[in-house]
Each structure stands twice: as C-alpha cells, then as structure tokens.
Amino acid sequence: MPGNNAFVRNVGRVTRHRETMSFFTRNREELIAKGIDPARVPPGQYVTERFPVLHAGVVPDVDLASWDFTVGGLVAEEKRWTWDEFSALDQGTLRADIHCVTKWSKLDTEWAGTPVRAVWDQLDVDPAATHVLVHAYHGFTANLPIDDFVRAENLFAHTYDGAPLEPEHGYPLRLVVPHLYFWKSVKWVRGFTVLDQDQPGFWERNGYHMYGDPFEEQRFWGD
Ligand SMILES: Nc1nc2c(c(=O)[nH]1)N[C@H]1C(S)=C(S)[C@@H](COP(=O)(O)O)O[C@H]1N2
Ligand SMILES: [Mo]
C-alpha cells in the first residue's frame, strides 16, 4: 500500500537521522574527554586520526628533472622555477586543522614548505587582480580570492609530519590553505594564474561552492 510504504520510508529516515546524530555527538564527546575544544570542529564535521585520500583521477608520475612551477596571468612578467630553484625559496612550517567537504576533519596536521607569500612577493601583480586559479598535473584546478591565497600561514608544502609527501597526498608539492575546505589545497601543484575575476576550478564546476568556508558550511552551490 502506498501509505504503508511512506511509513516505512519515514521510519528509515528517522532511524538514519538518529544514528547520524549520535555518531557526531559521540565524536564531539570524545574530543571533550581528550581536552580538545569541540569549537575547533566546523558544523557537520567529525574528527578522524586517519588521513583519508581523496582526488579525481590518478596519481601523476612525477619527474623532478622536468618538473616546473609557473605563474602567469596578470603579472608584469611570467615566472618559472625548476624543482631545485623552487626548493631554494624561503621555508616555513604550519600546524593546522584541516576540513574535507566529505565531513572528516583532522586536527593539528604539520606541514613544511615554501610560504605562498614568499612566491607572491617575487611577482609584480597587476592592481586589477582579485583571484587566482591554482593548477596541477592532469589539468586539475582550484580558484581562490587573492586574500585567502596569500595568507601568512599558507604553504606550498613538500613535507607532511616530518617526511616528504606521500604520492597520493600530493608528492612532490601541494598547496595547504587550512581555513577553507581541503579541496582548495591542490595536490601535485604546478603553479597558478592571476586573474581579475573569479573562475571556477575543477570541483567548483562540479557543484562545490566557489569559496568553501567550512565554518559557514559552504559545501555546494547555493550553500
Ligand atoms: N590535484 C588535485 N588536488 C586535490 C584534489 C584533486 O582531485 N586533485 N582533491 C582535493 C580534495 S577534494 C581533497 S578533500 C584533498 C584531499 O587531500 P588528501 O588526499 O591528501 O587527504 O585534496 C584536494 N586536492
Ligand atoms: Mo574533498
């Protein structure tokens, strides 16, 4: 009977909802028990100690001898660094919480690499510039406003937890922008283009939010 089916569907929904609630509540209670402030965890996220791997496509074959990092777009002069040249740039470290749009967060991750600011300071950027489109192997891209891209803590990281990046986490270099959902933290990064408008990147064209603030739950278009 149609009415009966509706009842069964509703019961299923209520049960699933309760399980979800208790999972997230339990996760937060575990944090409090460990003395961790649950306010660090954005709404709809849970904390994991694991380091899940997420990306479209396959892990690229990286050859450091032919690797380069390029900057184009609204700069007076386009720039190119080889791996050795990029490795000689300023170094910095970052300890940050990261938040994936698929709902896992990981606290106190530790990175080392070149501050985005150190690369940016070598550019003569057109005053009309507002955004960047970061690019990687296989045509992957992500867009960011300049103010979010050039924050003091952001890194082009070559090291995670004291060791070179694992291939699936972005070897040899990935962007780390911890205040936005982690899909903006482009793995296998090869450079960026400076723009005077916002242009959607790969996940943004596929339904993800243009900005992606985890504390505002800006997961998808319209959030
Ligand atoms: N080049 C590239 N970088 C990427 C992605 C991708 O598909 N390609 N996915 C993003 C997404 S959706 C997430 S959540 C993080 C995951 O990083 P991790 O695999 O190191 O956890 O990488 C981001 N960087
Ligand atoms: Mo993601």
Side-chain angles (χ1 to χ4, degrees):
M1 303 292 107
N4 214 19
N5 284 342
F7 174 75
V8 170
R9 271 203 306 279
N10 279 329
V11 169
R13 200 172 295 144
V14 167
T15 307
R16 269 199 305 281
H17 185 61
R18 269 212 201 102
E19 279 165 5
T20 309
M21 288 296 287
S22 71
F23 171 76
F24 283 90
T25 306
R26 213 181 322 120
N27 190 264
R28 260 152 231 261
E29 278 163 7
E30 282 164 14
L31 294 180
I32 293 165
K34 288 183 195 155
I36 296 165
D37 180 1
R40 285 167 67 179
V41 186
Q45 298 289 115
Y46 68 92
V47 170
T48 180
E49 313 247 298
R50 297 183 310 117
F51 195 173
V53 171
L54 270 128
H55 53 258
V58 296
V59 174
D61 256 326
V62 174
D63 169 35
L64 290 185
S66 59
W67 185 95
D68 64 2
F69 188 98
T70 58
V71 179
L74 294 176
V75 285
E77 220 185 298
E78 298 197 341
K79 292 267 188 189
R80 176 178 180 272
W81 289 266
T82 63
W83 177 254
D84 287 344
E85 289 163 350
F86 200 90
S87 304
L89 298 176
D90 285 356
Q91 299 294 304
T93 59
L94 164 65
R95 183 185 172 98
D97 302 343
I98 56 178
H99 311 292
C100 173
V101 71
T102 63
K103 302 200 168 211
W104 57 268
S105 292
K106 190 168 170 58
L107 304 182
D108 296 317
T109 62
E110 294 191 325
W111 307 87
T114 293
V116 174
R117 161 78 63 194
V119 175
W120 191 260
D121 284 347
Q122 300 201 22
L123 306 172
D124 184 0
V125 177
D126 188 318
T130 57
H131 290 77
V132 294
L133 192 63
V134 181
H135 58 86
Y137 281 84
H138 302 325
F140 182 85
T141 52
N143 56 315
L144 291 147
I146 288 170
D147 288 347
D148 295 89
F149 180 58
V150 192
R151 280 173 53 135
E153 70 269 26
N154 296 346
L155 292 183
F156 291 112
H158 49 63
T159 295
Y160 169 73
D161 210 11
L165 294 178
E166 297 288 342
E168 64 270 26
H169 286 298
Y171 173 87
L173 195 73
R174 81 176 296 163
L175 178 62
V176 181
V177 176
H179 74 291
L180 298 176
Y181 279 124
F182 209 42
W183 85 77
K184 300 285 185 181
S185 292
V186 176
K187 302 195 277 193
W188 313 296
V189 63
R190 293 287 297 275
F192 56 91
T193 305
V194 182
L195 302 168
D196 62 1
Q197 57 181 344
D198 199 6
Q199 258 181 41
F202 175 84
W203 288 113
E204 295 81 8
R205 283 196 301 273
N206 286 285
Y208 283 10
H209 197 276
M210 286 292 271
Y211 184 65
D213 181 342
F215 285 91
E216 299 291 331
E217 276 208 271
Q218 294 172 341
R219 297 176 194 275
F220 308 110
W221 296 347
D223 282 350

